[in-house]
Amino acid sequence: LELIAKTACRIPKNPPQTFYEGLCMLLFTREAIATLENIGISQLGHVDRLLGALYENDIKSGRITEAQARELVGIWMAYTDIKFDLENRDWPETSTCIQLGGCDAFGNPIYNDVTKIFIEEHHKLHLVNPKLNCRYSKESKKEYLMTIGKAVLDGHNNFVLINDDVVIKGLISSGVEECDARMYVSGGCQETMIEGYGHTEGAGIY
C-alpha cells in the first residue's frame, strides 16, 4: 500500500522512472481514458518496447530482481481475468490485449527480458487475458519464436501471431509513413492501429 501511495504521487503526472511505475502508467491511462470517454480500450500497450529500458535500469541499479518483476507482471496481467470474473462466465474473452515483439520505429527487432517475462508468466499462470498479440518477421530472434512455440506446444494457445513483413508492407502501400507503420499495434479484434495517428472502430473499419 505504501508503494501504491508513493507511486500515485508521481504517476501519471510525471513520466515513469521505474518498471513498477511504467506498469502503473499503462494500466492507469487505459482505465482513466476508458472511464472518462465511456469507451472500451482493448490494447494495453506495446509493453516490451515501452518497459524494456525501465526494467534494465532497475535490474542494473539493484532496485528490483527478476523474481520481483515477474510477480509484478503476473499481478498486472491477472487484473483483467479477475475484473471480469472469468471462472464464472460462459464467455471468457474480453478483447483485452498487449503487444509484444515486432520492431521499433527504426526497424530494429524487439525481443528483451520483458518480452520473455510476459510470455512465460502468462503461460505459468494459465491466463486467458490479456491476449498476447505477438508481432514477428523474418528478422525476429529465434529465442523469441521459441519462447512462443514452447508455450503453444504446451497447450497455452492464447496468442495472436501477426506477420510484420505483410502488415507493414500493406500499411506503407496504403499511404502510411514507414516509421509510423513500424509502430502499429493491433486491437482486441486484431484490427491494425497506427500508434498516435490511426483510429479504428472495430475490426472492419479503417
Side-chain angles (χ1 to χ4, degrees):
L1 291 175
E2 289 178 356
L3 179 59
I4 292 171
K6 180 180 178 181
T7 303
C9 291
R10 283 191 27 79
I11 301 299
K13 182 179 181 180
N14 302 288
Q17 293 182 341
T18 66
F19 183 65
Y20 178 78
E21 288 184 351
L23 289 169
C24 291
M25 176 70 88
L26 290 175
L27 190 56
F28 177 86
T29 303
R30 185 272 191 116
E31 292 298 313
I33 293 174
T35 301
L36 292 171
E37 300 295 338
N38 194 28
I39 57 175
I41 297 178
S42 61
Q43 179 58 252
L44 281 164
H46 197 164
V47 291
D48 45 0
R49 176 173 59 81
L50 295 169
L51 302 176
L54 293 172
Y55 173 78
E56 290 177 10
N57 289 338
D58 278 5
I59 290 292
K60 289 178 181 177
S61 68
R63 185 181 293 115
I64 198 172
T65 65
E66 180 181 334
Q68 290 170 332
R70 284 180 176 275
E71 182 180 14
L72 289 174
V73 166
I75 293 169
W76 189 87
M77 287 193 294
Y79 169 79
T80 303
D81 283 0
I82 293 170
K83 178 181 178 181
F84 286 91
D85 192 20
L86 252 58
E87 292 184 0
N88 298 303
R89 286 168 57 99
D90 294 330
W91 182 251
E93 210 286 299
T94 69
S95 293
T96 305
C97 54
I98 58 174
Q99 202 77 41
L100 292 166
C103 63
D104 61 20
F106 303 100
N108 302 310
I110 294 174
Y111 177 74
N112 53 40
D113 289 338
V114 174
T115 318
K116 184 178 177 69
I117 288 172
F118 267 90
I119 294 173
E120 291 181 346
E121 292 303 304
H122 198 284
H123 177 197
K124 184 181 82 174
L125 297 171
H126 305 291
L127 296 174
V128 176
N129 300 282
K131 285 182 289 189
L132 305 177
N133 289 2
C134 295
R135 293 172 44 183
Y136 71 93
S137 74
K138 60 186 176 184
E139 302 296 331
S140 294
K141 293 184 178 181
K142 182 178 180 180
E143 184 183 354
Y144 172 48
L145 302 178
M146 294 294 286
T147 303
I148 295 170
K150 182 179 179 181
V152 172
L153 288 172
D154 196 41
H156 191 65
N157 187 20
N158 297 68
F159 295 87
V160 177
L161 303 176
I162 307 161
N163 189 334
D164 271 8
D165 296 325
V166 173
V167 173
I168 292 175
K169 181 179 178 181
L171 290 171
I172 293 171
S173 69
S174 73
V176 178
E177 294 289 337
E178 185 172 13
C179 60
D180 294 331
R182 288 170 174 160
M183 300 290 276
Y184 81 89
V185 296
S186 47
C189 295
Q190 287 70 64
E191 64 272 29
T192 303
M193 299 179 284
I194 311 303
E195 190 174 78
Y197 294 94
H199 170 68
T200 59
E201 231 179 278
I205 302 175
Y206 176 71

